[in-house]
Amino acid sequence: MPHKTNYRDGDSYTRKSKKEGYRSRASFKLKEILEKDIKIHNDSTVIDEGSFPGRREEVVTEHIGSKGKITAVDIQPMREMKDCLFIQKKIEDIRDI
């Protein structure tokens, strides 16, 4: 009989993400993508449209370092994050930044 997991407690990635302080287990998949497929350098500028709740920003800020810049845009409020400029607006409403 297969071992049944308790969804509330999550899987090993869910527990690992909480332990390491990430907002989501998806952070580990994004790390894998950034290492294999998308090269973001330590001085890159990144804009994330539809950024709520901010899990991509957590990982991207690690890759771009202190010289890089990240701007997150969403209509939903996002918890403040170090080294990330958050704009709470529709992307269509942003004209000059």
Side-chain angles (χ1 to χ4, degrees):
M1 185 172 198
H3 182 292
K4 193 172 184 179
T5 61
N6 185 343
Y7 183 75
R8 182 193 67 204
D9 296 332
D11 63 2
S12 62
Y13 285 106
T14 302
R15 291 187 294 276
K16 186 177 179 181
S17 67
K18 287 182 182 183
K19 182 179 179 182
E20 293 186 22
Y22 290 114
R23 297 180 189 201
S24 167
R25 67 188 297 282
S27 299
F28 296 106
K29 185 62 178 176
L30 180 56
K31 281 181 160 189
E32 182 181 319
I33 291 168
L34 289 174
E35 289 170 10
K36 292 180 180 179
D37 302 320
I38 301 172
K39 300 299 179 198
I40 297 179
H41 304 284
N42 64 357
D43 59 350
S44 296
T45 298
V46 177
I47 298 175
D48 184 13
E49 301 171 9
S51 59
F52 177 82
R55 55 187 169 254
R56 291 178 299 267
E57 288 73 18
E58 289 177 315
V59 175
V60 171
T61 53
E62 292 174 2
H63 282 265
I64 62 174
S66 60
K67 292 182 181 180
K69 298 186 185 324
I70 183 164
T71 302
V73 181
D74 203 298
I75 58 174
Q76 295 189 57
M78 192 173 85
R79 197 172 50 193
E80 190 174 321
M81 188 177 300
K82 184 181 180 209
D83 299 325
C84 177
L85 170 64
F86 175 65
I87 301 171
Q88 186 177 352
K89 287 188 174 192
K90 288 182 183 180
I91 194 72
E92 304 90 33
D93 294 340
I94 298 175
R95 296 193 194 312
D96 297 316
I97 298 178

